């Protein structure tokens, strides 16, 4: 499906965004290996999270889904052998986290996904799980399809070469099946939803700076999980309201966990007018309403420990940088190369088509703030983050922008275009 977007004169209104993708995935998986019932409210009905539900069902878990409410009937740590190959669709979170759960089972399981998943490296998960005693056979040792042979696992100390919440979470899930404690050391803190959810479900986990220690032998108990709005989805409205003239947008009930709020910090540092109100804590997660107004931005340098806190938002930050005064440098973002697309390459090439002065580097990009884009036909590369970022670019570009294969937003935000139409 192709979709067309034209320049907007203003954006005004109060909206909500769908439930947090990371938390939705984890609530289903952890609820599945807990005892008792886990009730999830505001579950994200994106294709990726539905893939997680389908995989857990194939492993014998009874899951009821009514609208955005899910009820997971936990089976405890040990699941049933699937009668078929598990298909994770486009979901990197599903395949990587599931590998941690499957590593400690009493059977083998084969996992596959779409063409994008088959290109994404799994060695970063295979290495630590193998150190724990898992046996994993993968195409070329690194890619799906892959087979996880469940085994008795041992606790390890693992120093991660790159901060990655998916890799960390996979090891943490495997640690529940280990014979002793497991300690993970990150170079920088990545999103900590698994740590927070482990604690709320009754697992023992200690966090000391960038070191996370998990202890086996603690039963997980089903919980009620209220999923806050996803800040990665809110990011497109934050940037759009900052750039489109005469705009003021409030986004209700957004997850503002400090490991996820890099987008807020960056836009504020660039000069953006962002205010958080109604701050509270739900299920160990910080939640707030976010109000954004049109602002004049300036270029900045983005890198280091900030990158894991905004890795999914970098494509839309690149759009903001085009309209910032001066130069914006994004570095230390090599992780972007192994997302649904090589996001350094894809956002750079498509914004260039629209007239941006943007240059690809080995670990990021450099953007000269020209304050101008012109409409063009651009490609999403079947990457939801690229499609949504290009939509924001189209809202401020002169003329009309056509986004090809724009339906890929269904992966994380099925009503994305409708929500913008409400403003």
């Amino acid at each position: 499906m192709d979709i067309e977007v034209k320049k907007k004169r203003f954006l005004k209104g109060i909206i909500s965004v769908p439930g947090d993708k990371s938390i939705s995935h984890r609530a289903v998986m952890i609820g599945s290996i807990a005892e008792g019932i886990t009730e999830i409210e505001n579950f994200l009905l994106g294709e990726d999270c539905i893939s997680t539900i389908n995989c857990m069902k194939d492993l014998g878990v009874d899951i009821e889904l009514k609208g955005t409410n899910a009820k997971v009937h936990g089976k405890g740590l040990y699941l049933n052998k699937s009668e078929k190959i598990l298909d994770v669709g486009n979901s990197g979170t599903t395949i990587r986290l599931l590998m941690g759960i499957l590593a400690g089972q009493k059977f083998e399981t084969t996992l596959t996904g779409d063409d994008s998943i088959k290109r994404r490296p799994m060695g970063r998960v295979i290495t630590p799980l193998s150190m724990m005693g898992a046996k994993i056979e993968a195409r070329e040792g690194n890619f799906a399809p892959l087979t996880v042979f469940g085994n008795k696992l041992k606790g390890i100390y693992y120093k991660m070469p790159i901060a990655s919440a998916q890799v960390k979470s996979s090891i943490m899930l495997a640690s529940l099946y280990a014979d002793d404690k497991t300690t993970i050391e990150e170079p920088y803190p990545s999103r900590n939803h698994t740590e927070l959810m482990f604690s709320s479900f009754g697992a023992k986990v200690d966090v000391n700076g960038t070191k996370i220690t998990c202890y086996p032998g603690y039963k997980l108990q089903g919980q009620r999980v209220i999923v806050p709005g996803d800040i990665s989805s809110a990011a497109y409205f934050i940037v759009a309201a900052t750039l489109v003239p005469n705009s003021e947008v409030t986004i209700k009930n957004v997850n503002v966990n400090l490991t996820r709020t890099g987008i807020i910090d960056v836009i504020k540092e660039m000069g953006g007018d962002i205010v958080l109100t109604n701050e509270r804590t739900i299920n160990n997660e910080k939640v707030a309403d976010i109000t954004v107004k049109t602002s004049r931005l300036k270029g900045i340098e983005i890198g280091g420990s900030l990158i894991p806190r905004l890795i999914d938002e970098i494509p839309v930050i690149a759009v903001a940088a085009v309209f910032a005064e001066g130069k914006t440098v994004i570095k230390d973002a090599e992780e972007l190369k192994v997302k649904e697309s090589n996001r350094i390459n894809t956002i750079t090439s498509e914004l260039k088509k629209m007239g941006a002065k943007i240059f690809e580097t080995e670990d990021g990009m450099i953007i000269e703030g020209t304050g101008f884009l012109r409409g063009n036909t651009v490609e999403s590369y079947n990457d939801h983050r690229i499609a949504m970022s290009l939509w924001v670019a189209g809202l401020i570009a002169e003329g009309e922008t056509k986004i090809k294969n724009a339906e890929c937003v269904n992966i994380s935000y099925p009503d994305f275009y409708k929500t913008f139409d409400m403003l």
Side-chain angles (χ1 to χ4, degrees):
M1 178 188 79
D2 299 345
I3 197 161
E4 295 176 351
V5 54
K6 295 180 180 179
K7 188 174 182 177
K8 298 289 185 185
R9 292 184 294 114
F10 62 86
L11 296 171
K12 290 185 184 291
I14 300 171
I15 60 167
S16 297
V17 292
D20 188 280
K21 186 164 170 270
S22 296
I23 295 172
S24 294
H25 279 299
R26 286 159 174 79
V28 169
M29 289 192 191
I30 295 173
S32 293
I33 58 174
E35 297 184 359
I37 292 174
T38 292
E39 295 184 339
I40 307 167
E41 297 180 25
N42 199 34
F43 178 81
L44 172 61
L45 295 174
E47 291 175 358
D48 277 8
C49 294
I50 298 299
S51 291
T52 289
I53 283 183
N54 290 338
C55 286
M56 300 317 296
K57 282 182 173 181
D58 288 340
L59 292 164
V61 183
D62 182 12
I63 301 174
E64 304 168 50
L65 186 61
K66 294 181 180 177
T68 58
N69 293 327
K71 182 182 284 189
V72 182
H73 298 261
K75 291 183 67 67
L77 285 178
Y78 294 96
L79 304 173
N80 296 350
K81 179 180 171 66
S82 174
E83 296 301 316
K84 58 185 180 181
I85 293 172
L86 299 185
D87 187 347
V88 306
N90 186 251
S91 180
T93 301
T94 306
I95 192 167
R96 289 185 175 132
L97 269 61
L98 252 185
M99 287 167 67
I101 293 173
L102 294 171
Q105 299 299 321
K106 300 174 181 178
F107 49 79
E108 75 278 357
T109 310
T110 298
L111 296 154
T112 191
D114 68 9
D115 289 341
S116 170
I117 283 294
K118 291 174 183 175
R119 292 192 301 268
R120 297 178 72 174
M122 298 297 152
R124 56 180 56 192
V125 180
I126 293 171
T127 295
L129 293 183
S130 298
M131 290 169 62
M132 297 179 77
K135 182 184 176 187
I136 301 171
E137 294 179 356
R139 181 172 55 86
E140 300 175 20
N142 195 24
F143 301 101
L146 55 84
T147 300
V148 182
F149 298 85
N151 201 4
K152 291 183 179 179
L153 304 181
K154 61 184 180 183
I156 62 169
Y157 186 104
Y158 187 66
K159 192 169 183 177
M160 295 177 59
I162 298 173
S164 166
Q166 289 181 0
V167 176
K168 174 180 65 177
S169 298
S170 185
I171 300 167
M172 290 179 67
L173 288 163
S175 77
L176 298 172
Y177 302 87
D179 61 358
D180 202 353
K181 69 180 182 182
T182 292
T183 299
I184 305 157
E185 183 177 351
E186 297 187 280
Y188 304 114
S190 62
R191 58 185 69 175
N192 65 349
H193 304 304
T194 306
E195 292 95 309
L196 297 177
M197 202 172 288
F198 263 34
S199 294
S200 66
F201 274 75
K204 185 181 179 186
V205 55
D206 292 333
V207 179
N208 183 11
T210 57
K211 292 182 180 179
I212 304 102
T213 301
C214 303
Y215 300 84
Y218 290 81
K219 284 186 177 180
L220 305 180
Q221 296 292 336
Q223 299 292 314
R224 179 169 175 253
V225 179
I226 301 172
V227 183
D230 195 324
I231 195 165
S232 293
S233 296
Y236 304 98
F237 298 91
I238 290 171
V239 172
T242 301
L243 299 181
V244 175
N246 308 309
S247 294
E248 181 175 349
V249 175
T250 296
I251 312 152
K252 303 282 285 184
N253 305 319
V254 181
N255 177 14
V256 290
N257 177 317
L258 287 177
T259 65
R260 297 286 298 281
T261 51
I263 178 68
I264 292 175
D265 295 344
V266 161
I267 297 299
K268 278 186 174 180
E269 188 180 347
M270 295 176 83
D273 184 347
I274 301 180
V275 177
L276 271 60
T277 57
N278 193 23
E279 297 183 56
R280 64 257 193 223
T281 300
I282 302 173
N283 295 123
N284 293 338
E285 296 279 357
K286 292 185 181 298
V287 181
D289 301 339
I290 303 172
T291 299
V292 192
K293 297 179 182 178
T294 306
S295 312
R296 290 186 64 181
L297 303 183
K298 64 179 187 293
I300 62 171
E301 185 172 294
I302 304 164
S305 61
L306 191 55
I307 294 298
R309 297 177 55 226
L310 48 64
I311 192 69
D312 286 338
E313 290 75 65
I314 288 176
V316 78
I317 289 171
V319 176
V322 173
F323 289 85
E325 184 179 339
K327 180 167 66 176
T328 296
V329 177
I330 300 171
K331 61 182 185 178
D332 305 318
E334 300 98 328
E335 180 77 6
L336 286 177
K337 294 180 177 179
V338 292
K339 294 290 186 177
E340 282 83 339
S341 67
N342 177 341
R343 288 180 179 159
I344 294 176
N345 177 266
T346 53
I347 195 64
T348 299
S349 67
E350 299 315 294
L351 288 179
K352 273 185 177 176
K353 290 179 185 177
M354 300 178 74
K357 287 190 175 180
I358 180 169
F359 309 96
E360 181 178 346
T361 65
E362 187 62 31
D363 64 347
M365 58 197 83
I366 299 169
I367 305 108
E368 299 283 354
T370 61
F372 177 80
L373 290 175
R374 63 176 175 272
N376 204 341
T377 298
V378 290
E379 174 59 59
S380 73
Y381 298 88
N382 291 311
D383 185 331
H384 56 133
R385 303 290 179 203
I386 299 299
M388 290 188 277
S389 298
L390 293 172
W391 173 269
V392 174
L395 293 174
I396 43 181
E398 297 297 330
E400 188 172 275
T401 300
K402 178 188 284 188
I403 305 168
K404 298 181 73 64
N405 300 306
E407 72 278 4
C408 59
V409 300
N410 294 333
I411 289 165
S412 64
Y413 197 160
D415 289 333
F416 176 76
Y417 304 117
K418 288 181 183 177
T419 308
F420 261 109
D421 287 342
M422 292 165 55
L423 295 172

